[in-house]
Amino acid sequence: MDHIILLFLLLFALAFADRDSQKKTPNLPSNNASHKRVRRDWIWNQMHIKEEIDAPLPHHVGKITSSVRNNNAKYIIEGEYANTIFKVEETSGDVYAFERLDREKKAEYELTALIIDRRNNQSLEPPSKFIIKVYDINDNVPVFVQKVFNGSVPEMSPVGTSVTKVTAVDADDPTVSGHATVTYQVIKGDEYFTIDDSGVISTTRPDLDRETQSTYEIIVKAKDAPGTSGDSSTATVIITLSDINDNFPVFKHPSFHFKVPENISVGGEVGRVKVEDVDEPQHRNTKYSFVRGDYRDTFEIVANPYTNEGIIRPKKPLDFEKVAEYRFDIEATDPTVDLRYFKAGGSRSISTVTIEVTDVDEPPVFTKLPYEFKVKENDPDVRTLGSVWAHDPDAAKRKIRFIRRRASPNGDYIRVSDTGIIQLPKPLDREFSSSYNITVAAQEILEDGRLSDRESHAQVHVIVADENDNAPELVYPEEPRVCENAAPGKVIVRISATDKDELSPRGFFKFSLAAEDSNFSLIENYDNTANITVKYGQFNRELAKIHYLPVIISDNGEPELSSTNTLVISVCKCNEKGNFTFCEERAKQVGVSIQALVAIFICIFTIIVLAMLLLLRKRHKKDLSGLGRSVAEIHEQLVRYDEEGGGEMDTTSYDVSVLNSVRKNGMKPEAVPSPYAQVQKPPGNVTSGAGEMETMIEEKKNEADNDRDLLPYDTLHIYGYEGAESIAESLSSLQSGSSDSDIDYDFLNDWGPRFKMLAELYGSEPSEDFVY
C-alpha cells in the first residue's frame, strides 16, 4: 500500500511540472524579436531511490532538465559522489546509481547540476544543487544494546513489581511505520516474569522465595514489524532476589549442656547456644529469653551481633555447695521479622539448657567487709580492738589462719593474731595519723599443716578519736614592730594560734598576757585571733629596743590546755607619718627538728668511729714496721723480685764499683740493728772479703726493711754478685741442684724469714723431692 501511494505522488509531480512548462513556453520571445537575456529555469523531478534494490545495476534515480533549447547542451553533475556512485546521461539528463545504496550508511546525497555548451564548455545555466534521498526498507533486525542484563527484586514481592528494563535498537528509519518498531517477549522464564513493549520486566508471581531459589536466568526476544514474521534477536537477563527478614531463628539442638567451675567470674562466659537463621546476616536479629526456670537473676543470655550466637553469662557468683546444677528453657525469636511474609513453622524456637557447676577449692570468705574499729588516742588500757572472721566455703571446712599483709601508715602499729584478733602493741597517736589501715589475708590450713596458696583479703580501718593532749601554739607573725612615739591604742600586730588537736566545739582560743605591767595590752577578737596594742604610748629606745611579751593561749578543751609563747616586738624610729625609718636587727631564731638532731648525731658518731679506726690502723702499721714484715708480705716480695741478674759478668744492672770500693778500702758501715739474726758462717773459711760483702748486704737489706717510703731495693741483683772467695760460691739456681759441694748451708736458717726458701733448697737432703 505504501509503495502505491509513493508512485501516485511521483506521477502527480511529473504532470504538474509539464503543465508549468507549457504555460511558460508561449511567453518566450524569439531570438530575432529581442536581444534581451531571458532567465531560464532548471526543470527536474525531486529524486528518490530505494535502498538495497534487488535489480541489475545501474538503477535509474531521476532526470534533470533545463528550459534551455540548445542542441549543443551537455549535462554534468558535481559533488562528493558524482561520477562514482551517481552518473548523468549528457544529453537526456537521466541520473543513474551504479551501486546499491544503504540508508543506514547514508540517507541522502547532495549533488550539483550544470548544463554547458559542449563546444566551448561555457555554462548555459547557473549551477543548481539537488538532493537524492534514499528510501528505507525494513532490512535490519532489532539488536539489544548488551547481551546480558542484570536485575534485582526483593523476595516475596507482589505481582507486577518492576525488576529491570532491557533495550533493543533497530537501525531502520523510525519515520516509516513498522520499520523501527520493536516488540519484546520472554521466551524462557515466562512463568515467573513478563516484559512489556517498553522493555520493562516485572514479576508474575508473589511467592518468589530467596531461600528456595535466589537467582533466575531468563531469555527475552526483540523483533520488529508487528504482525509479521520478521527477524529477531535475544538477550539474557539474570535476576537476583534480594533478602528480606522473613524467617525466624531455629535452635540447632533441642538441648545444650555446659560445665562451669563455681569460681567463674561474674560476667564470664559459661557457654554459647547456636541458632540457624536462613536470612542474610544483616537480617539476623535474634533475641534470647528465659521461658521456664527460676534462674533469671542468676544468668543472662546476650546475642553476639557477629555470629548470632547466644552467650550465657552469670550475673552473680555461683556456689557449688548451694546449687550444683541449673536447668531452664530458653527461646529464640526475631522481633524484626516482616509478618506479612510470615511462613508456617512458628515464630519462636525453644531449647533446654543444663549448666553443671563443678566444685573448686575456693579461698576463705570473710563474713564482713570492710571492718572498722574506733579507739581513743593514747589510751594505754586498750590492747584489743576486735577480730575478723572468715570461713572455708568448701565442704572440707578447714581452719583459717590470718596474716597481716599491708599497712598504712607503714609500721608495727596494728597487729593481727593467727586467729584474727586485731591488737594494739602500743597506744595510737591521732596527731601522727588519724586513721590506720591494714590488709588482712585469710588462708586455709591444709591437712598436713601447710598453708593453702589461695587466700582472700579484707580491709581493716582503725579510726583514732581525738583527745585534747596538745596545747595551742602561737602562729608567729613576721617581725612585729612599733614606733617609739606610738599613741595609746595603736594596733601593733594581730596574732593567731593553731592546735594539733581538733577544734573544741565549745568555742575559740583564749588569749591573755602573762603580766599586766608592760606597755602592751591584748584585745581578743573572738575569731581565734587577738590584737596586741599600745597601752600607754611613748617607748624609750634608750631603755629597751626589743620587748619580749609573754602571751598565754588556752584551747577551751577537756581538759583545758594552755601554753605560754613569747612575742618579740622591736621598738623602731619612725617619721612624722608613722613609717619605720630604723630598726635594730635581731637574731633570727633558728629551730632544729628532732629528726634533724638525730641525723646530726648519727653523722658525728660515724665520723668519730672512722677517725678511731684510722688511728688504730696507723698504730698497727707502726707496730708492723718495728717488728718487720709478716711472712706473707716477705713471700710476696720474694715472688716479685725473682730476677737473678747476669752473675759476676753483669755490670749493667748495678754499680759493682761501690761493692769493690767497700771491700778495697775496708770501710766499716755503722752497725744497724736488724730484725733478723746475723749470718753464722762456718769457721775456717771466713775471709775478710766475705765479711765486707756480708756487711754491705745487711746494710742494704736493713734500709729496704726500715724505710717504707722508698721503692724496694733490688737485693736479688746484689745477691747475684758473689764477691771474692764466697763461701756459698754461686747463688744461681741454674747449677745449684748439680753441685757436689759438701758445704753445710744450715746457717741460712739464721738469716731470717727472707732466706727460708734458700735454706730449704740448700740445707735439705739430696734425696728429698721438692714440689713447687
Side-chain angles (χ1 to χ4, degrees):
M1 185 65 185
D2 294 337
H3 295 81
I4 296 173
I5 296 173
L6 183 62
L7 182 60
F8 175 78
L9 292 175
L10 182 60
L11 294 174
F12 179 79
L14 291 174
F16 186 79
D18 290 340
R19 187 183 63 178
D20 289 344
S21 63
Q22 291 176 2
K23 290 180 179 180
K24 292 179 181 180
T25 301
N27 296 329
L28 293 175
S30 64
N31 293 336
N32 297 328
S34 177
H35 295 285
K36 291 183 179 180
R37 180 178 178 87
V38 179
R39 182 179 182 276
R40 300 176 178 86
D41 295 327
W42 285 97
I43 302 172
W44 60 69
N45 297 326
Q46 189 174 7
M47 297 184 188
H48 301 274
I49 186 173
K50 288 185 178 181
E51 66 172 337
E52 304 292 347
I53 299 177
D54 189 12
L57 294 173
H59 301 151
H60 185 265
V61 179
K63 185 175 184 178
I64 58 175
T65 59
S66 175
S67 59
V68 174
R69 295 293 181 260
N70 190 334
N71 295 330
N72 295 319
K74 176 182 177 182
Y75 291 98
I76 300 174
I77 59 175
E78 293 179 351
E80 182 181 0
Y81 298 98
N83 301 318
T84 55
I85 297 178
F86 301 100
K87 294 181 181 180
V88 64
E89 209 282 325
E90 296 180 354
T91 57
S92 63
D94 291 322
V95 180
Y96 295 90
F98 285 81
E99 292 183 9
R100 287 182 173 82
L101 304 180
D102 187 355
R103 194 201 68 84
E104 286 70 39
K105 292 184 179 178
K106 194 169 180 64
E108 59 182 29
Y109 298 87
E110 184 176 344
L111 300 174
T112 303
L114 299 94
I115 183 170
I116 62 174
D117 191 336
R118 68 177 65 248
R119 294 172 299 181
N120 52 18
N121 292 330
Q122 294 294 324
S123 177
L124 300 178
E125 286 286 347
S128 178
K129 292 184 178 181
F130 65 96
I131 296 175
I132 300 175
K133 291 187 176 181
V134 182
Y135 279 170
D136 181 53
I137 62 173
N138 193 7
D139 60 343
N140 291 280
V141 178
V143 178
F144 285 98
V145 294
Q146 59 193 66
K147 295 299 294 181
V148 179
F149 293 87
N150 292 283
S152 176
V153 64
E155 63 173 333
M156 311 302 290
S157 296
V159 176
T161 303
S162 176
V163 178
T164 186
K165 183 178 181 180
V166 297
T167 303
V169 179
D170 194 334
D172 292 325
D173 190 356
T175 63
V176 180
S177 176
H179 283 200
T181 302
V182 181
T183 60
Y184 301 93
Q185 180 185 357
V186 178
I187 61 176
K188 179 185 176 183
D190 55 342
E191 66 271 26
Y192 304 109
F193 303 96
T194 185
I195 188 170
D196 60 13
D197 290 340
S198 64
V200 176
I201 299 174
S202 57
T203 60
T204 60
R205 297 178 57 173
D207 57 350
L208 297 178
D209 191 359
R210 187 196 69 87
E211 287 73 37
T212 302
Q213 183 177 350
S214 61
T215 59
Y216 294 85
E217 185 175 312
I218 67 173
I219 298 177
V220 295
K221 181 176 70 172
K223 65 177 182 177
D224 60 1
T228 65
S229 58
D231 294 330
S232 61
S233 62
T234 60
T236 301
V237 182
I238 299 175
I239 300 174
T240 303
L241 298 182
S242 59
D243 184 52
I244 64 172
N245 193 5
D246 59 341
N247 293 278
F248 286 96
V250 178
F251 282 108
K252 290 187 176 181
H253 305 287
S255 63
F256 296 89
H257 187 273
F258 303 103
K259 282 187 177 182
V260 61
E262 63 175 334
N263 62 345
I264 184 173
S265 60
V266 174
E269 183 176 326
V270 174
R272 298 191 178 198
V273 294
K274 298 182 179 180
V275 296
E276 183 178 8
D277 192 339
V278 294
D279 290 326
E280 291 185 351
Q282 68 270 20
H283 293 141
R284 297 172 185 171
N285 301 300
T286 304
K287 301 297 180 183
Y288 298 90
S289 58
F290 293 90
V291 178
R292 287 182 295 273
D294 299 330
Y295 304 114
R296 303 184 184 186
D297 59 340
T298 306
F299 298 97
E300 64 178 352
I301 306 177
V302 181
N304 187 313
Y306 303 102
T307 63
N308 210 33
E309 298 171 321
I311 304 174
I312 302 176
R313 296 191 176 109
K315 296 169 62 176
K316 62 182 182 180
L318 305 182
D319 192 346
F320 171 81
E321 286 72 27
K322 292 182 179 180
V323 180
E325 184 179 273
Y326 297 87
R327 185 186 298 270
F328 47 84
D329 292 341
I330 60 174
E331 71 169 355
T333 186
D334 189 346
T336 62
V337 169
D338 194 340
L339 298 180
R340 294 178 300 171
Y341 312 111
F342 175 71
K343 300 175 183 178
S347 61
R348 64 179 186 171
S349 177
I350 297 178
S351 180
T352 301
V353 176
T354 302
I355 299 176
E356 181 182 346
V357 181
T358 59
D359 188 24
V360 295
D361 185 13
E362 298 177 274
V365 177
F366 283 93
T367 56
K368 179 183 177 182
L369 290 175
Y371 293 88
E372 184 174 297
F373 302 98
K374 293 184 178 181
V375 62
K376 291 184 178 180
E377 68 170 330
N378 301 322
D379 190 346
D381 298 330
V382 177
R383 286 290 181 260
T384 301
L385 298 180
S387 62
V388 296
W389 179 252
H391 67 278
D392 182 8
D394 299 321
K397 301 301 178 184
R398 300 187 181 100
K399 293 183 178 180
I400 308 299
R401 178 173 295 176
F402 299 92
I403 305 171
R404 195 190 78 166
R405 290 299 186 200
R406 291 179 295 274
S408 175
N410 193 18
D412 187 22
Y413 301 105
I414 301 176
R415 296 175 183 175
V416 180
S417 68
D418 293 345
T419 57
I421 299 176
I422 307 300
Q423 301 170 338
L424 297 180
K426 59 182 179 180
L428 301 179
D429 186 5
R430 196 202 71 86
E431 283 69 44
F432 175 74
S433 178
S434 61
S435 64
Y436 295 80
N437 303 317
I438 63 171
T439 300
V440 179
Q443 290 180 298
E444 298 176 7
I445 303 176
L446 302 178
E447 288 73 8
D448 56 0
R450 296 182 298 107
L451 293 179
S452 173
D453 56 353
R454 300 179 63 82
E455 63 180 42
S456 56
H457 301 89
Q459 301 298 323
V460 177
H461 305 288
V462 178
I463 299 175
V464 183
D466 184 45
E467 292 290 326
N468 192 23
D469 57 347
N470 291 277
E473 298 176 357
L474 177 68
V475 178
Y476 286 92
E478 185 67 23
E479 296 185 7
R481 296 177 294 180
V482 62
C483 293
E484 61 179 341
N485 57 352
K490 172 69 175 176
V491 176
I492 301 173
V493 66
R494 172 173 289 190
I495 61 174
S496 61
T498 183
D499 196 336
K500 294 180 181 179
D501 296 321
E502 294 180 357
L503 186 63
S504 173
R506 297 193 302 170
F508 302 100
F509 297 121
K510 293 190 296 184
F511 299 88
S512 61
L513 296 179
E516 298 294 335
D517 56 352
S518 64
N519 194 15
F520 301 97
S521 61
L522 185 147
I523 302 175
E524 290 200 51
N525 298 322
Y526 301 102
D527 59 354
N528 282 337
T529 63
N531 292 335
I532 303 298
T533 61
V534 178
K535 189 175 184 180
Y536 305 113
Q538 295 296 327
F539 292 91
N540 189 348
R541 281 175 48 84
E542 300 297 330
L543 297 177
K545 299 177 181 178
I546 296 177
H547 293 264
Y548 299 92
L549 182 65
V551 179
I552 300 174
I553 307 174
S554 58
D555 58 6
N556 284 324
E558 290 184 1
E560 183 176 282
L561 299 178
S562 62
S563 64
T564 301
N565 305 264
T566 301
L567 186 64
V568 181
I569 302 175
S570 300
V571 179
C572 304
K573 294 182 179 181
C574 299
N575 55 20
E576 295 177 354
K577 297 181 179 180
N579 298 326
F580 299 108
T581 58
F582 177 76
C583 293
E584 275 74 18
E585 290 289 339
R586 56 181 176 179
K588 294 186 178 292
Q589 298 180 354
V590 180
V592 181
S593 64
I594 296 176
Q595 292 85 350
L597 290 174
V598 171
I600 293 172
F601 286 136
I602 292 174
C603 292
I604 294 174
F605 179 75
T606 304
I607 294 172
I608 293 173
V609 170
L610 291 176
M612 292 179 65
L613 290 176
L614 291 175
L615 183 61
L616 291 174
R617 182 184 171 114
K618 278 191 174 184
R619 231 175 245 183
H620 184 62
K621 286 184 178 180
K622 288 183 179 180
D623 294 342
L624 288 177
S625 300
L627 297 176
R629 296 180 181 175
S630 65
V631 176
E633 290 177 337
I634 297 169
H635 178 68
E636 179 182 354
Q637 291 194 5
L638 287 175
V639 173
R640 290 183 183 176
Y641 309 142
D642 57 355
E643 184 181 356
E644 296 178 352
E648 295 89 338
M649 301 305 295
D650 186 3
T651 59
T652 60
S653 299
Y654 55 88
D655 191 358
V656 182
S657 61
V658 176
L659 298 176
N660 292 333
S661 63
V662 174
R663 180 172 58 85
K664 291 178 181 179
N665 298 330
M667 294 178 61
K668 294 286 186 178
E670 296 181 0
V672 180
S674 174
Y676 306 109
Q678 296 295 328
V679 178
Q680 300 295 330
K681 296 183 179 180
N685 292 331
V686 180
T687 61
S688 61
E692 295 173 359
M693 180 60 67
E694 178 185 348
T695 303
M696 175 60 66
I697 292 174
E698 290 294 339
E699 180 181 354
K700 296 298 182 182
K701 180 167 64 68
N702 291 332
E703 289 179 1
D705 290 341
N706 296 324
D707 193 350
R708 301 180 61 85
D709 297 328
L710 295 178
L711 293 174
Y713 190 80
D714 194 0
T715 56
L716 289 180
H717 281 280
I718 298 176
Y719 300 155
Y721 179 74
E722 300 165 359
E725 299 179 14
S726 172
I727 61 173
E729 296 184 355
S730 176
L731 294 179
S732 173
S733 61
L734 296 178
Q735 298 178 353
S736 299
S738 61
S739 175
D740 55 355
S741 175
D742 56 355
I743 300 176
D744 185 7
Y745 294 100
D746 290 339
F747 67 90
L748 293 174
N749 293 321
D750 299 330
W751 283 21
R754 288 177 175 271
F755 296 90
K756 182 179 180 181
M757 181 60 70
L758 291 176
E760 291 177 354
L761 291 174
Y762 288 94
S764 60
E765 293 296 329
S767 61
E768 291 184 359
D769 295 330
F770 294 92
V771 180
Y772 292 89

